[in-house]
Structure formats: C-alpha cells, structure tokens
Amino acid sequence: MKNSLKAAAVGLFALAGALAPGAANAAPADTAPAAAEMICGYAENAEAAYYGHCGDTWVHIKIDYHHGWASTYMCVPPWSETHLGSDDNISNAFYIGLC
C-alpha cells in the first residue's frame, strides 16, 4: 500500500511538471516581463531606430548617423528598449562598454 501511494505521489508530481512546462526555467522576478520578446541590439521599424539592451548592467552605446553627422554616446539601463530617433538619421548603434 505504501509503495502504491508513493508511486501515485510521484505520478502526480510528474503530471504537475508536465502541465507547467518552463516553470522551472522561469525568468528571475527582477528582469523585465517582456525580455523574451525584446530585440537585443540595434533595430529599426518603419520610422524609428531603437537599441535593446538585454543584460543586467547599464551599458554605454555608440550611435552612428547618416549624412556625415558626428557619432553620439549614451548610457542605457538594463533590460530596456531605448528610442534613439528617426531611422532616416541613425545608421547603427552598438555596445562599447559599461557605464
């Protein structure tokens, strides 16, 4: 009887794990909720340029422009998507170090 109860408990535990896949791999609570959907690095949409930082530290990025404009620099926070401006003006942005 004890063995069958033990087997039933193990079976229920396994079933609970199957019903909640990924629960053991859940992201820590201090990361952004949409981190899995975030684009990391430079990205553009139809009208704007962004830099997505997928990390736990503040980082320094270099922003390069079209039209021969001088590059600029910016510190971006952890787990953020930072709007950089119009994609007509910005050609790239990339990590250069910690802030």
Side-chain angles (χ1 to χ4, degrees):
M1 181 79 167
K2 278 186 178 182
N3 287 340
S4 61
L5 287 176
K6 203 180 276 188
V10 169
L12 285 174
F13 182 73
L15 179 60
L19 293 176
N25 297 326
D30 60 344
T31 61
E37 299 170 11
M38 208 167 103
I39 294 174
C40 303
Y42 180 73
E44 296 179 358
N45 61 22
E47 57 197 43
Y50 296 87
Y51 186 84
H53 175 49
C54 302
D56 293 329
T57 59
W58 283 73
V59 296
H60 209 194
I61 62 170
K62 179 180 178 186
I63 304 164
D64 291 334
Y65 295 89
H66 296 294
H67 320 296
W69 297 351
S71 298
T72 59
Y73 302 86
M74 177 186 288
C75 278
V76 296
W79 300 104
S80 64
E81 185 176 84
T82 303
H83 178 260
L84 302 175
S86 170
D87 65 342
D88 290 337
N89 297 328
I90 297 173
S91 64
N92 197 7
F94 52 93
Y95 167 87
I96 58 172
L98 299 176
C99 296

